[in-house]
Amino acid sequence: MDRHTLRRSSAGYTLVELVIALAILAVLGAAALPATSALDSWLLSRAARLTTTQMIEARLLSVARRDRIRLRVVGQGTLETVDGTGAIIDRRVLAGPSPGLVDSARIRPNAIRYNPRGHGAAGSVYLYRNGKGIRVISNFVGRIRRHGFRF
């Protein structure tokens, strides 16, 4: 009988063990929730840095090529740099369904333009992820700054 009891007890988990395991998983899950908020902030910050870099490159290209360069958002969140003839110089995907991207991106007005002197039309790129957003602002002299917000 001792042998039968040993075999039966090693065959599975008891209800108490399952409840303890679920409690541990619940505590770990609750601790992981703030981490997703930090991940959202990090992804927004990363997308804002990429956007800032592309704005600076567009401004420098306008001076180097002595041409008008503009930035536009295509689709859900692809940021394109386009020269005066309409040829695409650079393209960066900032938003989409893939992990590691922001939810969406938009630009106001419909494009940010830089003239051959490096001066630009004022505009902003808005990046959104899970109730948070970052606005990357370019003024008419080409100065770029970021401003975070919640909605």
Side-chain angles (χ1 to χ4, degrees):
M1 185 140 183
D2 225 9
R3 200 188 245 177
H4 187 323
T5 306
L6 285 176
R7 194 179 324 158
R8 197 166 114 191
S9 67
S10 64
Y13 299 105
T14 65
L15 182 61
V16 174
E17 291 171 330
L18 289 175
V19 169
I20 290 172
L22 287 175
I24 291 171
L25 287 174
V27 169
L28 290 175
L33 282 178
T36 58
S37 176
L39 177 65
D40 291 340
S41 297
W42 183 82
L43 289 172
L44 273 172
S45 180
R46 178 183 161 268
R49 282 191 308 270
L50 288 171
T51 302
T52 302
T53 301
Q54 195 157 356
M55 286 176 156
I56 292 168
E57 287 175 358
R59 182 173 178 235
L60 294 174
L61 272 172
S62 68
V63 174
R65 290 184 172 195
R66 295 184 180 151
D67 191 9
R68 291 185 204 156
I69 303 290
R70 63 190 165 110
L71 288 168
R72 63 184 182 191
V73 173
V74 180
Q76 188 69 8
T78 302
L79 191 60
E80 290 183 343
T81 305
V82 181
D83 68 4
T85 63
I88 297 171
I89 300 168
D90 191 11
R91 178 181 289 155
R92 293 189 188 159
V93 178
L94 300 173
S98 300
L101 299 176
V102 295
D103 294 337
S104 67
R106 65 184 175 102
I107 195 167
R108 294 287 182 250
N110 60 357
I112 297 176
R113 295 171 178 81
Y114 295 99
N115 66 21
R117 293 184 197 163
H119 295 264
S124 300
V125 177
Y126 297 86
L127 305 165
Y128 303 98
R129 181 164 174 95
N130 291 340
K132 293 181 182 178
I134 288 185
R135 179 180 177 199
V136 183
I137 306 162
S138 175
N139 66 9
F140 69 96
V141 229
R143 180 175 174 255
I144 299 166
R145 62 187 170 92
R146 289 184 270 175
H147 178 69
F149 59 90
R150 288 177 177 251
F151 53 96

